[in-house]
Amino acid sequence: VPYRLSMYKSGLRLFADFPLWGIGLGNLVGTFHAYKDSLVVGVVDHVHGDWLELFLQVGAFGAAAWNFFGYKFVVFSPKSIL
């Protein structure tokens, strides 16, 4: 548990540096190493949290757009899809 929480903490430090636009899709592998906590050892290229990784890669604006369009899809999709 402390290992995973340390990865989350490292991810939040990364998010603090790129809060609005994120680091870009697919760039987490190359960027996360610079923000790893000392407790995180070995080859770790993601933070083991899908929502945190989404926010890290697309930022707050991208995550807001993702949620907006997801909401629109669910609300306005034909009932046969649901």
Side-chain angles (χ1 to χ4, degrees), residues 36-72:
K36 283 195 318 187
D37 195 48
S38 60
L39 184 62
V40 180
V41 295
V43 178
V44 178
D45 57 1
H46 59 286
V47 295
H48 291 280
D50 293 336
W51 286 105
L52 180 56
E53 288 186 21
L54 174 68
F55 274 92
L56 289 173
Q57 293 183 58
V58 299
F61 288 136
W66 178 272
N67 289 324
F68 173 77
F69 288 114
Y71 170 78
K72 290 290 188 182

Side-chain angles (χ1 to χ4, degrees), residues 10-21:
S10 301
L12 291 174
R13 274 199 318 271
L14 176 59
F15 183 74
D17 283 348
F18 304 95
L20 298 179
W21 301 108

Side-chain angles (χ1 to χ4, degrees), residues 62-82:
W66 178 272
N67 289 324
F68 173 77
F69 288 114
Y71 170 78
K72 290 290 188 182
F73 175 76
V74 169
V75 170
F76 295 109
S77 65
K79 297 297 180 191
S80 62
I81 293 175
L82 300 174

